[in-house]
């Protein structure tokens, strides 16, 4: 069978509902941008009180182990007490990671957040965001903005730096350029995340029900009236990246709740310098990382420290245990023999995560990420953050009913 990837040869990340790498906290639903594809309704008065935030963190604590907490929203930097929220997460023993569009980030704010205990930032930057002064900029042109934030973090030091971009049909071709930019800045950019665009189509042929009653999807942020491509797959993104990096090789994944062979979260870890990528870690390396972290720290690993990511050469010592590392070590040794100066360069590790959110199956079932890391709290329960608007608006999950074309 000609498949882009065979899931049986990759490591299935061990993340589950009660025992995961991350949880998703939304201290606010207020945002200073309106991004295409956002899952949350922008409510300028949507800040939660510190008491509410604490209650949600306690719910997480009682129901789910996790290494880190993604502090998202809305944009969390619009919350007037964001430093206290970061400190609260850290005090409760988890790594605070801020997911932001970066607009409200100043050097002063960054230093205050670092003092509060922030461990990482994930900046959402892409061309579908309606950013002021950035209209019409391509993904490649936005690399300049990405670099501004990466440099800010590098100046403060020891903060994990990630960038995520929603991938639309018309920007799929730009992904390799972002991956290439990531290599150019492998010393200060630690993670790249690509999220396939998803939405709930609301037009002829798609009806939505809650508890047997048809509902009006109008108020749902991710309902769209126009016919757009909502089915880009992780493997489409891999195929695109391979046009520039033919040996690009993911090693770990989360499957879909309806499809064992779909890659809902697909993780690749590459090793190299700004000039050359020597290779990709294999599934055994990923398994060792997750298992040892769980054994010694009690939770699955979410964010590796920036110090560890700089130790690419030490990681190559593990090559007898991992085929991917063995290949990378051999490529590195050949490189050093050809150009001995390489020996004095630091080898960095960088992750590329590809996310394929909810998929409509032919029978109307939604295939979610099995072991969803972005689970949040709603009404004291753990729920998918990408579909929380359904609970807010209808009190329950929607059930899509998709009309079959007449000839079927
Ligand atoms: S199920 Fe939804 S919230 Fe969970 S990881 Fe997938 S896209 Fe994110």
């Amino acid at each position: 069978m000609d498949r882009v990837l065979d899931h049986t040869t990759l490591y299935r990340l061990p993340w589950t509902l009660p025992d995961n790498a991350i949880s998703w906290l939304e201290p606010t639903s207020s945002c200073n941008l309106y991004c295409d594809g956002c899952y949350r309704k922008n409510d300028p008065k949507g800040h939660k009180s510190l008491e509410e935030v604490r209650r949600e963190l306690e719910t997480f604590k009682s129901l789910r182990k996790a290494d880190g907490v993604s502090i998202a929203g809305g944009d969390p930097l619009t919350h007037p007490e964001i430093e206290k929220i970061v400190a609260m997460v850290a005090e409760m023993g988890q790594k605070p990671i801020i997911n932001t569009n970066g607009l409200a980030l100043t050097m002063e704010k960054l230093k205050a957040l670092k003092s509060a205990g922030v461990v990482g930032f994930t900046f959402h930057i892409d061309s579908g965001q309606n950013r002021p002064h950035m209209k019409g900029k391509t993904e490649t042109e936005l690399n300049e903005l990405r670099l501004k934030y990466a440099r800010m973090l590098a100046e403060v030091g020891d903060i994990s730096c990630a960038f995520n971009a929603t991938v639309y049909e018309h920007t799929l071709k730009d992904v390799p350029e972002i991956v290439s930019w990531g290599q150019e800045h492998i010393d200060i950019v630690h993670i790249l995340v690509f999220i396939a665009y998803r939405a709930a189509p609301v037009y002829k042929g798609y009806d939505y029900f809650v508890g047997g009653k048809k509902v009006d999807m109008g108020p749902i942020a991710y309902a769209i009236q126009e016919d757009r491509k909502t089915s880009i797959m992780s493997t489409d993104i891999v195929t695109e990246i391979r046009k520039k990096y033919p040996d690009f090789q993911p090693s770990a994944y989360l499957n879909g709740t309806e499809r064992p062979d779909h890659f809902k979260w697909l993780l690749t870890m590459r090793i190299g310098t700004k000039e050359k990528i020597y290779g990709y870690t294999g599934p055994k390396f990923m398994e060792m990382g997750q298992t040892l972290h769980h054994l010694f720290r009690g939770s699955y690993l979410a964010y590796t420290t920036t110090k560890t990511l700089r130790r690419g050469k030490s990681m190559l010592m593990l090559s007898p245990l991992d085929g991917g590392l063995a290949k990378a070590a051999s490529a590195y040794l050949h490189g050093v023999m050809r150009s001995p100066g390489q020996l004095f360069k630091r080898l960095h590790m960088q992750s590329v995560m590809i996310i394929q959110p909810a998929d409509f199956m032919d029978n109307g079932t939604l295939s979610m990420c099995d072991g969803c890391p972005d689970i949040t709290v709603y009404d004291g329960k753990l729920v998918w953050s990408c579909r929380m608007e359904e609970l807010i608006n209808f009190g329950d999950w929607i059930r899509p009913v998709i009309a079959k074309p007449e000839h079927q």
Side-chain angles (χ1 to χ4, degrees):
M1 201 190 315
D2 183 22
R3 286 194 284 188
V4 176
L5 292 170
D6 174 359
H7 69 288
T8 62
T9 62
L10 305 192
Y11 173 54
R12 201 297 190 173
L13 290 160
W15 307 342
T16 60
L17 184 59
D19 197 354
N20 211 294
I22 27 180
S23 297
W24 183 270
L25 176 76
E26 292 194 7
T28 183
S29 47
S30 162
C31 192
N32 43 10
L33 282 181
Y34 283 87
C35 305
D36 185 16
C38 183
Y39 298 137
R40 188 71 56 246
K41 182 172 174 217
N42 191 344
D43 175 6
K45 294 199 195 97
H47 300 322
K48 289 178 185 159
S49 68
L50 289 183
E51 250 338 282
E52 284 174 278
V53 170
R54 182 176 294 282
R55 267 203 302 278
E56 292 192 3
L57 288 172
E58 277 163 2
T59 302
F60 278 133
K61 202 86 191 151
S62 66
L63 295 175
R64 176 173 169 102
K65 286 184 193 175
D67 182 34
V69 175
S70 291
I71 305 173
D75 195 285
L77 298 185
T78 64
H79 195 293
E81 296 182 287
I82 184 61
E83 291 88 348
K84 288 188 186 152
I85 293 169
V86 166
M88 207 187 280
V89 171
E91 274 157 27
M92 290 174 87
Q94 293 184 319
K95 297 173 181 164
I97 317 291
I98 300 231
N99 283 36
T100 174
N101 58 45
L103 217 56
L105 189 67
T106 58
M107 210 51 186
E108 193 187 359
K109 186 102 181 157
L110 176 57
K111 286 179 182 161
L113 288 165
K114 166 92 177 166
S115 307
V118 79
V119 163
F121 275 79
T122 299
F123 293 100
H124 176 201
I125 297 179
D126 64 50
S127 55
Q129 291 184 295
N130 298 312
R131 282 179 180 265
H133 318 301
M134 297 275 166
K135 294 216 168 67
K137 292 249 184 205
T138 63
E139 292 299 332
T140 313
E141 286 165 347
L142 284 171
N143 282 339
E144 199 179 317
L145 182 66
R146 295 184 177 103
L147 187 56
K148 173 185 134 181
Y149 290 117
R151 286 193 170 137
M152 279 172 78
L153 262 56
E155 192 179 327
V156 173
D158 290 334
I159 305 177
S160 168
C161 177
F163 289 94
N164 80 41
T166 307
V167 179
Y168 310 94
E169 188 178 12
H170 67 283
T171 60
L172 181 59
K173 64 173 183 348
D174 301 324
V175 170
E177 277 310 312
I178 304 176
V179 176
S180 173
W181 171 84
Q183 180 191 335
E184 245 175 80
H185 302 285
I186 198 168
D187 53 336
I188 56 173
V189 174
H190 308 109
I191 307 168
L192 298 172
V193 184
F194 298 102
I195 306 173
Y197 171 73
R198 286 292 184 272
V202 183
Y203 40 80
K204 192 170 178 290
Y206 288 86
D207 289 322
Y208 295 86
F209 290 82
V210 172
K213 262 201 182 151
K214 194 167 162 183
V215 291
D216 171 13
M217 291 284 280
I220 300 289
Y222 40 85
I224 51 162
Q225 312 284 339
E226 71 274 32
D227 191 359
R228 292 178 67 179
K229 181 157 179 159
T230 56
S231 57
I232 296 171
M233 311 294 271
S234 295
T235 43
D236 296 333
I237 299 176
V238 170
T239 302
E240 205 58 40
I241 295 174
R242 282 182 176 165
K243 290 182 183 166
K244 182 140 197 155
Y245 293 93
D247 54 348
F248 183 83
Q249 183 54 48
S251 49
Y253 75 104
L254 281 181
N255 57 287
T257 48
E258 302 295 318
R259 285 289 297 262
D261 55 346
H262 275 185
F263 303 96
K264 306 297 275 185
W265 282 51
L266 181 62
L267 179 58
T268 305
M269 170 87 77
R270 54 185 186 169
I271 304 183
T273 61
K274 286 162 170 265
E275 294 80 28
K276 186 161 174 60
I277 296 298
Y278 288 102
Y280 300 84
T281 64
K284 288 287 171 213
F285 178 81
M286 293 299 184
E287 186 167 1
M288 281 187 282
Q290 291 293 324
T291 310
L292 292 176
H293 197 273
H294 201 276
L295 199 59
F296 293 108
R297 301 275 177 87
S299 63
Y300 292 116
L301 175 64
Y303 283 77
T304 315
T305 62
T306 55
K307 231 193 254 165
T308 308
L309 292 172
R310 283 195 293 264
R311 292 196 186 128
K313 278 187 211 160
S314 325
M315 293 300 159
L316 292 183
M317 313 274 263
L318 294 171
S319 55
L321 303 172
D322 180 80
L325 277 177
K327 268 196 201 162
S330 152
Y332 176 64
L333 289 176
H334 276 91
V336 168
M337 281 192 294
R338 273 199 308 272
S339 159
Q342 295 296 321
L343 193 59
F344 304 102
K345 288 201 174 147
R346 213 186 263 283
L347 271 191
H348 297 273
M349 302 176 78
Q350 186 183 60
S351 310
V352 179
M353 181 68 94
I354 299 172
I355 300 178
Q356 177 186 313
D359 287 303
F360 281 80
M361 299 285 104
D362 286 348
N363 62 2
T365 318
L366 282 166
S367 183
M368 308 301 290
C369 310
D370 192 6
C372 163
D374 293 345
I375 283 282
T376 193
V377 174
Y378 179 78
D379 201 15
K381 298 186 193 78
L382 299 185
V383 304
W384 297 302
S385 57
C386 65
R387 292 180 57 191
M388 197 163 64
E389 289 290 323
E390 296 163 32
L391 303 178
I392 295 169
N393 284 278
F394 309 128
D396 210 337
W397 304 117
I398 51 129
R399 194 166 47 81
V401 174
I402 305 173
K404 292 252 187 306
E406 272 158 24
H407 63 271
Q408 282 193 355

